[in-house]
Amino acid sequence: MSAVEHRFGSYGGRYVPETLMPALAELEAAWLAARGDGAYHAELDALLRDYCGRPTPIYEAHRLSERVGRTVLLKREDLMHTGSHKLNNALGQTLLARRMGKRRIIAETGAGSHGVATATACALLGIECVVFMGTEDMRRQRQNVLRMRLLGAHVEPVDAGARTLKEATSEAIRDWVTNVETTYYVIGSVVGPAPYPAMVRDLQRRIGDEARAEVLERHGRLPGRVVACVGGGSNALGAFAAFLDDDGVELVGVEAGGDGLTTGRHGAPLTVGGPAGVLHGAMSAIMQTEDGQILEAHSISAGLDYPGAGPQHAHLRDTGRARYDAVTDEQALQAFRTLSELEGIIPALESAHAVAWVLAQSDGELDLVCLSGRGDKDLAEALDRLGIE
Amino acid sequence: MTGVEHIAAAFAGADKRAALMPYLMGGFPDPATSRAIGDACIDAGADLLELGIPFSDPLADGPVIAAAGTAALRAGTTTDDVLAVAEALAPRAPVVLMTYVNIVLARGVDRFVRQAADAGAAGLIVPDVPMEEAGPLLEACDAAGLALVPLVAPTTPDERLREIGARARGFLYTVSVTGITGERVGVDYATIVGRASAATEVPVALGFGISNAEQAARAADAGADGVIVGSRLVREAAESDDPAAAVGRVVGELADGLVG
C-alpha cells in the first residue's frame, strides 16, 4: 500500500494553522486504514451501486458527434444520484467520518452540488451537517439551498469578499479550526492540505476507471482525448487518473474563461500561468496580485468560480501530461443550449465548459467528455442570460 | 543586536509579571494611523509589538482582525506600506511581523526576509507555515537574525510540542484556545502554558482570546512570559474616532493588570 502523496512536484503540502496539524495526521491515518479495508470498500461500493446508480453510462452523443465530425462520448455523471459526480467523494468521506467517530460534518459549496451531495450522505448516515455557502452563490443556486435544507442540513451564509466559493472555503476552514475535535471537514474538490487532494482524487477515480474499461470494450481502443472542466478539478482528476499511464491519451482540463482571459475576469489560473502560491492549505496555481493577495475569480458557473486549482493539476500542467485551456461564459452558455437541443441533455454550466471546448475543436477522432453534472440547478441563470422565457 | 537578541532583551527587561505584546493591523485604518497606534501602544507600556501585514484570506483570524485586514487592503495598503510602519516603530520596541505564507512567497522567501530585517523587524510569525513546511523560511530567517516564531495549540501533542519548542526563535507563540483569533471568556490557561514552558527554552507568550486586564493577569499567573492581545485592540481601533488614543487607553489597562 503506497503512502498518501503530500506533494505533486513542488505543489501541494500542508499550509494550515498548527491547530489543524494533528487532525490532518489523524485523517491521513484513518484514510490509509480505510483505503486498505475491504469492509469500507464493500459498503461504499454497495451504496454507490444501489443508492447512487453507479456505474454511470457512457453515451455516444450521435448528433453532437455529427456536428463536430468525430465521435464524442459522454461519461454521464449527471445521471448519478443528486445529479453530479460530487456524491462519489462526499459519500466516501462521510463513511470515513463515521469510522472516525465524528458527530458533525462541515462542507463548503459553490454551485451547491457538493453541498447537496454532503447533505445527502449525512441524511443517509444520520450525521449533523453544516454547509458554508457564499451569499452570491445562495442567490444563484437557490434551488440547491432549498434541497440542502430539505435534507436536514444547515446552510451557513458567508457574506465576505465576493461571497462565493473562495470565501465559503475559508469560513469552513475557520469552523474546522474551532471545532476540530468533534468535526470532520468534507472538502469537495482535489484542493486543500494533504491528504485531501490525493484522497478526493482516489474517491473520484472510479469515473475514469469505469470509463476506460467501457470505452475499451465498446470501441476496442482508448479515447484520443479525455476532456473535463476544472474548477478545483475533482471530476477532471477523477477522469484523468485512470489514463495517466496511457501516453497516447491526451488529457484536457477546461477552465472558466469568464469574460475572457485578457479581461482578468475569469477563473483560469492553470491556463494563464503566473507564479504559484498558497490558497486554502496547498501550493498550487492561483490567481494573485504581485503582493500575493488572492484575486476574486469570475465565472457564470458557480462551481468554476474559484481562483485556485488542485495541486496535482498544476503538476500535470508543468510536466506536460495534461493541458489546460479556457472557454468563456458565452461559449459555455452556447454549449449549454447546443447539448440540450442536440442530445436532450441539459448539462451543468460547469460541464458545459468541457462541451464548449469540444465544440470549438476541429481535430481529433474519439473524445471522451466527463459530463460532471446536470443543469437543472442552472436553469434560471442560464435561461435569463440566453434570453429564453 | 539581532532581532532574536532584541526580542530576548525585551522579555528580560519587561517591568511587569509578563511582557505585553499588543497586536495591530498594519495599514488599518490607514498606514499613518496604524503607526500612531503603534506609538500609543509603546507609550502605554507595550514591551513588544506584533504588526500584521494584511492578507486577503486570513485562515487563522476571526471576524474582527479579518475585517481590519480587508479594510486595510481596500484602502490600498501594500506590504511595503506595512514594512515602512515597522521601520518607524522598530527603534522604540521590537516589532514582530505577522502575515500569511502567500505574502512571503509572493516576493520570494529570501527577499521578504531580507526586507523585513532591513526594516528593523525583530521577528516573523506565519500561522499557516507549520514545522513541516518551515525549512527554507527558518533558514533564511536564521541567516538574517530574524526570529521565526512558531505557534503551538492546545491540540498539539506533547512530542510535537517539544519538536516545535526546540526550533522556536524569539518566543513560543502559544495559542490559548482551539480556534481562531477573537475575544473569549472562561479559558483555563494553566495547562497549555505549563505544557509549552516544559517544551522550550525560549519565553512562552500566550495569545488568542485574551482581551482584558483580568485575563492578562491570569495568563501571567499561569506562568506565561508574555501576553498577546489582538482582536480587542483592533476592535477598539475600528470603533473609535481617535484610534490611537483609544487603543493606548486599553493597552494601559492591560499593562496595569500585569504590574505587581
Side-chain angles (χ1 to χ4, degrees), chain A residues 76-268:
Chain A
R76 297 291 308 276
E77 294 299 301
D78 61 312
L79 291 178
M80 181 154 149
H81 181 42
T82 74
S84 85
H85 71 292
K86 290 294 188 186
L87 191 55
N88 295 319
N89 168 52
L91 197 53
Q93 286 200 56
T94 305
L95 285 173
L96 181 62
R98 192 185 61 184
R99 275 174 74 103
M100 294 172 71
K102 301 292 181 181
R103 301 186 301 277
R104 176 174 179 266
I105 276 179
I106 57 171
E108 83 295 337
T109 200
S113 302
H114 174 58
V116 167
T118 306
T120 298
C122 287
L124 178 70
L125 299 178
I127 299 178
E128 181 190 353
C129 180
V130 177
V131 180
F132 292 86
M133 190 170 189
T135 50
E136 165 62 10
D137 286 339
M138 289 178 73
R139 182 194 67 75
R140 295 196 268 193
Q141 300 290 348
R142 175 151 179 80
Q143 190 196 331
N144 273 343
V145 174
L146 299 176
R147 287 169 82 192
M148 285 184 269
R149 287 182 181 151
L150 180 62
L151 291 162
H154 172 71
V155 180
E156 184 67 39
V158 179
D159 211 22
R163 305 177 177 89
T164 60
L165 180 56
K166 176 175 75 110
E167 292 75 25
T169 306
S170 294
E171 211 49 43
I173 293 173
R174 289 194 185 104
D175 180 292
W176 200 34
V177 173
T178 306
N179 299 299
V180 62
E181 275 146 24
T182 60
T183 296
Y184 183 103
Y185 178 24
V186 179
I187 290 187
S189 193
V190 287
V191 301
Y196 283 107
M199 177 172 69
V200 176
R201 175 203 61 208
D202 290 351
L203 288 168
Q204 290 292 3
R205 76 165 281 159
R206 65 184 68 226
I207 298 172
D209 287 336
E210 288 173 6
R212 189 178 183 281
E214 179 145 5
V215 174
L216 258 182
E217 188 188 317
R218 296 219 330 233
H219 295 266
R221 55 161 292 183
L222 291 172
R225 278 193 296 235
V226 179
V227 184
C229 64
V230 176
S234 69
N235 91 88
L237 204 51
F240 293 176
F243 296 94
L244 286 177
D245 295 331
D246 300 319
D247 290 339
V249 179
E250 193 181 358
L251 306 175
V252 183
V254 185
E255 293 190 294
D259 290 343
L261 297 183
T262 54
T263 65
R265 286 173 50 79
H266 58 79

Side-chain angles (χ1 to χ4, degrees), chain A residues 253-255 261 268-273 317 324-326:
Chain A
V254 185
E255 293 190 294
L261 297 183
L270 292 161
T271 306
V272 168
R317 178 196 63 185
Y324 296 85
D325 203 349

